[in-house]
Amino acid sequence: MAAAIRHLTATSASSFAMRREALAVATPRRWATAVASGQTLGGRGGRVYGRTGALGIKAGMIAEFDRWGTRHELTVIQLDNCQVVQVKEEATNGYTALQLGICDAKEKNVTKPLRVHYSKAGVKPKRKLGEFRVAEDGILPVGTQIHATHFVPGQLVDVCGTSKGKGFQGAMKRHNFAGQRATHGVSKTHRAIGSTGMCQDPGRVFKGKKMPGRMGSDRVTVQNLWVYKINPQRNLLFVKGHVPGVAGGFVRISDAVKGARFPTDAPYPTYEGAMADGDLYAPLPDDDPNKPSEDDE
């Protein structure tokens, strides 16, 4: 028994070390050294927290062609006056995090407890609040604005939002059931789910059975979206791919947990320099990716 326990302990320790090495490659260089040296920057279960994420508003989708003629479907996310509202520290709250707010709101539309909360922070009332776990050296002062240049063109990000609500839907739409046959003995049950249980034993329907019900309005995270372009003046992010939710909905943007793959050093803890005049584009390959290779010819 003791030998088995020692084996499990050694196995978990080795897997934890492998996960730590993978995170060291995925995180920016500023805190990758600390990860590789064995320091835990925060989090439970060995998860490493670095810099903060950001809150954004989904503006819609557009398409753009790059210099090689490749068409990219882009989702536009606006960081509308995203500011730090509260700092949570290990000594007072038991963990280290930043509370961010986005999009100024009218004071009459904010509850009295939140009015006091914003007045103590010295920031204008916000329409949406969100919290991001950070490392101790990733703390920012209250009132600091998170710009679109907090992210790097060409990096990968994870975007989290609330999916569109579909209401009460059947099993074919909700769970992608194939349905029953169109003819040959099927009478008025073409889209029905069919049998839901078994015989007298067990005599019940198991929990979790896929059945009709409410669909959508769920928290969804889309991982590894490529930041194609950044507009610093208007605080716009152009990410390749779809983002959950309706146009005008709030989303959370953070560095990809599976590896952000920064083409250049990411600003740590955030970008505080002058804003560029033009758009910032992700680096593209030097050779035309659409050109046929010699093997194809």
Side-chain angles (χ1 to χ4, degrees), residues 81-85 99-101 104 123-124 126 143-146:
N81 199 15
C82 181
Q83 289 181 288
V84 179
V85 177
Q99 185 187 75
L100 306 182
D104 295 342
V123 298
K124 294 182 179 180
K126 303 294 181 181
T144 303
Q145 185 171 356
I146 308 297

Side-chain angles (χ1 to χ4, degrees), residues 111-132:
T111 60
K112 288 184 178 180
L114 282 179
R115 292 181 196 173
V116 177
H117 181 64
Y118 292 123
S119 63
K120 288 183 179 179
V123 298
K124 294 182 179 180
K126 303 294 181 181
R127 290 179 56 194
K128 183 70 173 179
L129 291 174
E131 190 173 290
F132 293 88

